[in-house]
Amino acid sequence: MRDEQRRNKKTARRTAETPTVTPRESNRVRVHATIRARITSLELPPGAPLSENELAAELDVSRTPVREALILLGEESLVDIFPKLGTFVSRISVDAVLEAQFMREALELAALREAVKRADGEDIEALRAILDAQRAAFEAADDDLFFEQDEAFHRRLMEASGHRTLWRTVTTAKAHLDRARRLSLPLPRRIEHLIDEHRAVVDALEERDAARAEEALRGHLQGVFDDIGTIQADRPELFVESAELTPPSRPRAHPGLRA
């Protein structure tokens, strides 16, 4: 029943997940942001083929911004471009996940130390409101909404440190990590554990207990190490090993992008 609810919620939320852009932004930026969001959300799963012609038609642009966007995504290791064969969504790199986690942990823990000193009642209230929204998303079996609230929690926690722009740096670097995190959400009791871990961080922050807050956040962030081992054992086809990069044996049907 929960799996069916998740599928229904994901379908209903596709439009909301499409990034909002201003008229001044170029087609390339818009196309890149849209395809990137669909990759990190797993709407375009690892191994999915990407057609320039079909993407251009679906996004109502010429092939040029699509080609440029795919090149940028290739530089981010989110797509693999194989000459004469095609372009495919990259499989998840465990090395990239670990590197992103290392950077994220360093930045978030450093920001948390500042947040313990600076956070006020408004910060704590905002974080607890996000916890309530996470619980509501869990009860609605809406994994996409939960993930959005998970991102909101960590962004707001970083803002409490006074470093309001630092989250953008974290977000840019963690695409492979985000895909692994999304795959972990259906694991038994995973979301409930995440909510409890978030609450422990907020409780320690409110009490200005720096050591306990840091211990809680570090344990929370490192949970991905256990999760990724479980996911990789269950779905090895979604992952690529360190030295492995081989094209699919044949192109598959393009799953498309839908607004």
Side-chain angles (χ1 to χ4, degrees), residues 15 25 34 42-43 50 60 91 95 100 106 118 141-143 159 161 167 182 184 210 230 239 241 250 253:
T15 299
E25 289 183 289
T34 300
L42 300 177
E43 185 171 337
L50 301 172
D60 194 25
R91 287 177 287 166
D95 285 349
R118 299 171 56 110
D142 191 336
D143 289 356
E159 289 174 355
S161 74
W167 180 248
R182 282 182 177 271
S184 75
T230 301
F239 293 83
E241 298 297 336
R250 56 180 295 180

Short mmCIF file of all heavy atoms in Angstrom, two decimals, residues 15 25 34 42-43 50 60 91 95 100 106 118 141-143 159 161 167 182 184 210 230 239 241 250 253:
data_model
loop_
_atom_site.label_atom_id
_atom_site.label_comp_id
_atom_site.label_asym_id
_atom_site.label_seq_id
_atom_site.Cartn_x
_atom_site.Cartn_y
_atom_site.Cartn_z
N THR A 15 5.25 18.29 -11.38
CA THR A 15 5.23 19.69 -11.78
C THR A 15 5.91 20.55 -10.73
O THR A 15 6.69 21.44 -11.04
CB THR A 15 3.79 20.18 -12.00
OG1 THR A 15 3.21 19.39 -13.04
CG2 THR A 15 3.78 21.64 -12.41
N GLU A 25 17.07 34.00 -17.32
CA GLU A 25 17.97 32.84 -17.39
C GLU A 25 17.93 32.23 -18.78
O GLU A 25 16.89 32.13 -19.41
CB GLU A 25 17.58 31.81 -16.34
CG GLU A 25 17.89 32.26 -14.93
CD GLU A 25 17.56 31.19 -13.93
OE1 GLU A 25 16.37 30.95 -13.71
OE2 GLU A 25 18.49 30.58 -13.37
N THR A 34 16.65 21.60 -15.12
CA THR A 34 15.52 20.68 -15.19
C THR A 34 16.00 19.23 -15.28
O THR A 34 15.53 18.35 -14.53
CB THR A 34 14.64 21.00 -16.40
OG1 THR A 34 14.13 22.33 -16.27
CG2 THR A 34 13.47 20.02 -16.50
N LEU A 42 15.77 10.86 -9.28
CA LEU A 42 15.62 9.49 -9.79
C LEU A 42 14.44 9.34 -10.73
O LEU A 42 14.11 8.22 -11.11
CB LEU A 42 15.51 8.46 -8.65
CG LEU A 42 16.71 8.38 -7.70
CD1 LEU A 42 16.42 7.37 -6.60
CD2 LEU A 42 17.99 8.01 -8.44
N GLU A 43 13.81 10.45 -11.14
CA GLU A 43 12.79 10.32 -12.16
C GLU A 43 13.43 9.84 -13.46
O GLU A 43 12.83 9.07 -14.22
CB GLU A 43 12.08 11.65 -12.39
CG GLU A 43 10.93 11.53 -13.37
CD GLU A 43 10.08 12.79 -13.46
OE1 GLU A 43 10.09 13.59 -12.49
OE2 GLU A 43 9.42 12.96 -14.48
N LEU A 50 19.30 9.21 -22.94
CA LEU A 50 18.86 10.60 -23.12
C LEU A 50 19.00 10.98 -24.59
O LEU A 50 20.10 10.91 -25.14
CB LEU A 50 19.70 11.54 -22.25
CG LEU A 50 19.66 11.27 -20.74
CD1 LEU A 50 20.69 12.13 -20.02
CD2 LEU A 50 18.27 11.53 -20.19
N ASP A 60 10.74 22.21 -25.28
CA ASP A 60 10.41 23.31 -26.19
C ASP A 60 11.60 24.24 -26.42
O ASP A 60 11.50 25.46 -26.32
CB ASP A 60 9.22 24.11 -25.65
CG ASP A 60 8.62 25.03 -26.70
OD1 ASP A 60 8.78 24.74 -27.91
OD2 ASP A 60 7.99 26.04 -26.33
N ARG A 91 25.42 5.83 -13.81
CA ARG A 91 25.15 5.06 -12.61
C ARG A 91 25.80 5.77 -11.42
O ARG A 91 26.66 6.63 -11.58
CB ARG A 91 25.66 3.63 -12.77
CG ARG A 91 24.79 2.79 -13.70
CD ARG A 91 25.35 1.39 -13.89
NE ARG A 91 26.54 1.42 -14.72
CZ ARG A 91 27.38 0.40 -14.84
NH1 ARG A 91 27.17 -0.71 -14.15
NH2 ARG A 91 28.44 0.48 -15.63
N ASP A 95 32.43 6.17 -5.02
CA ASP A 95 33.51 7.10 -4.69
C ASP A 95 32.99 8.53 -4.62
O ASP A 95 33.35 9.30 -3.72
CB ASP A 95 34.62 7.03 -5.75
CG ASP A 95 35.47 5.77 -5.60
OD1 ASP A 95 35.34 5.08 -4.57
OD2 ASP A 95 36.26 5.49 -6.52
N ALA A 100 31.46 13.38 -1.58
CA ALA A 100 30.45 14.38 -1.27
C ALA A 100 30.09 14.34 0.21
O ALA A 100 29.90 15.39 0.85
CB ALA A 100 29.20 14.15 -2.12
N ALA A 106 32.11 17.90 6.76
CA ALA A 106 33.04 18.93 7.23
C ALA A 106 32.35 20.29 7.31
O ALA A 106 32.48 21.01 8.32
CB ALA A 106 34.25 19.00 6.30
N ARG A 118 25.03 30.89 17.99
CA ARG A 118 24.23 31.98 17.43
C ARG A 118 22.73 31.73 17.38
O ARG A 118 21.94 32.67 17.32
CB ARG A 118 24.71 32.27 16.00
CG ARG A 118 26.14 32.71 15.88
CD ARG A 118 26.54 32.75 14.41
NE ARG A 118 25.66 33.61 13.64
CZ ARG A 118 26.01 34.78 13.12
NH1 ARG A 118 27.24 35.23 13.30
NH2 ARG A 118 25.15 35.50 12.43
N ALA A 141 3.13 9.01 3.42
CA ALA A 141 3.91 8.14 2.53
C ALA A 141 4.43 8.91 1.32
O ALA A 141 4.54 8.37 0.22
CB ALA A 141 3.09 6.93 2.08
N ASP A 142 4.78 10.18 1.53
CA ASP A 142 5.27 11.03 0.45
C ASP A 142 6.78 11.20 0.59
O ASP A 142 7.26 12.14 1.23
CB ASP A 142 4.55 12.38 0.50
CG ASP A 142 4.80 13.22 -0.75
OD1 ASP A 142 5.82 12.99 -1.41
OD2 ASP A 142 3.96 14.09 -1.05
N ASP A 143 7.53 10.28 -0.02
CA ASP A 143 8.98 10.32 0.09
C ASP A 143 9.58 11.56 -0.56
O ASP A 143 10.59 12.09 -0.09
CB ASP A 143 9.59 9.06 -0.55
CG ASP A 143 9.33 7.81 0.27
OD1 ASP A 143 8.74 7.92 1.37
OD2 ASP A 143 9.71 6.71 -0.19
N GLU A 159 21.78 27.91 7.96
CA GLU A 159 21.45 29.34 8.05
C GLU A 159 21.54 29.83 9.49
O GLU A 159 21.89 30.99 9.74
CB GLU A 159 20.06 29.59 7.48
CG GLU A 159 19.98 29.44 5.97
CD GLU A 159 18.56 29.54 5.46
OE1 GLU A 159 17.63 29.63 6.29
OE2 GLU A 159 18.38 29.53 4.22
N SER A 161 23.70 29.22 11.49
CA SER A 161 25.11 29.52 11.80
C SER A 161 25.52 30.89 11.29
O SER A 161 26.61 31.38 11.61
CB SER A 161 26.02 28.46 11.15
OG SER A 161 26.10 28.66 9.74
N TRP A 167 25.07 26.70 1.89
CA TRP A 167 24.30 25.53 1.47
C TRP A 167 24.36 25.33 -0.03
O TRP A 167 24.32 24.20 -0.52
CB TRP A 167 22.85 25.68 1.93
CG TRP A 167 21.99 24.51 1.55
CD1 TRP A 167 20.98 24.48 0.65
CD2 TRP A 167 22.10 23.17 2.05
NE1 TRP A 167 20.43 23.23 0.55
CE2 TRP A 167 21.10 22.40 1.40
CE3 TRP A 167 22.94 22.55 2.99
CZ2 TRP A 167 20.92 21.05 1.66
CZ3 TRP A 167 22.75 21.20 3.25
CH2 TRP A 167 21.76 20.46 2.59
N ARG A 182 18.01 9.26 -1.66
CA ARG A 182 16.64 8.99 -2.08
C ARG A 182 16.36 7.49 -2.13
O ARG A 182 15.27 7.03 -1.77
CB ARG A 182 16.37 9.62 -3.44
CG ARG A 182 16.13 11.13 -3.37
CD ARG A 182 15.82 11.67 -4.74
NE ARG A 182 15.52 13.08 -4.70
CZ ARG A 182 14.32 13.61 -4.51
NH1 ARG A 182 13.29 12.81 -4.35
NH2 ARG A 182 14.13 14.91 -4.48
N SER A 184 17.56 5.36 -0.23
CA SER A 184 17.53 4.81 1.13
C SER A 184 16.18 5.01 1.82
O SER A 184 15.87 4.32 2.79
CB SER A 184 18.63 5.45 1.98
OG SER A 184 18.28 6.77 2.36
N ALA A 210 27.19 21.83 22.59
CA ALA A 210 27.93 21.70 21.34
C ALA A 210 28.40 20.26 21.10
O ALA A 210 28.30 19.75 19.97
CB ALA A 210 29.13 22.64 21.34
N THR A 230 23.72 -1.45 1.89
CA THR A 230 22.47 -2.21 1.76
C THR A 230 21.86 -2.04 0.37
O THR A 230 21.44 -3.00 -0.27
CB THR A 230 21.45 -1.75 2.83
OG1 THR A 230 22.01 -1.95 4.14
CG2 THR A 230 20.15 -2.52 2.71
N PHE A 239 24.76 1.06 -9.65
CA PHE A 239 26.04 1.59 -9.19
C PHE A 239 27.17 1.25 -10.16
O PHE A 239 27.12 0.25 -10.88
CB PHE A 239 26.38 1.03 -7.81
CG PHE A 239 25.46 1.52 -6.73
CD1 PHE A 239 24.23 0.91 -6.52
CD2 PHE A 239 25.80 2.60 -5.93
CE1 PHE A 239 23.36 1.37 -5.54
CE2 PHE A 239 24.94 3.05 -4.94
CZ PHE A 239 23.71 2.44 -4.74
N GLU A 241 31.46 0.78 -10.17
CA GLU A 241 32.65 0.67 -9.33
C GLU A 241 33.69 1.69 -9.75
O GLU A 241 33.59 2.32 -10.80
CB GLU A 241 33.23 -0.75 -9.42
CG GLU A 241 32.29 -1.83 -8.93
CD GLU A 241 31.96 -1.69 -7.45
OE1 GLU A 241 32.77 -1.07 -6.73
OE2 GLU A 241 30.90 -2.19 -7.03
N ARG A 250 22.98 -1.92 -25.45
CA ARG A 250 22.09 -1.39 -26.47
C ARG A 250 21.25 -0.27 -25.87
O ARG A 250 20.95 -0.29 -24.67
CB ARG A 250 21.16 -2.49 -27.01
CG ARG A 250 20.35 -3.18 -25.95
CD ARG A 250 19.45 -4.25 -26.53
NE ARG A 250 18.44 -3.69 -27.40
CZ ARG A 250 17.52 -4.39 -28.03
NH1 ARG A 250 17.51 -5.70 -27.89
NH2 ARG A 250 16.63 -3.83 -28.81
N ALA A 253 14.50 2.38 -24.44
CA ALA A 253 13.51 3.41 -24.75
C ALA A 253 13.70 4.60 -23.81
O ALA A 253 13.91 4.45 -22.63
CB ALA A 253 12.11 2.84 -24.57
#
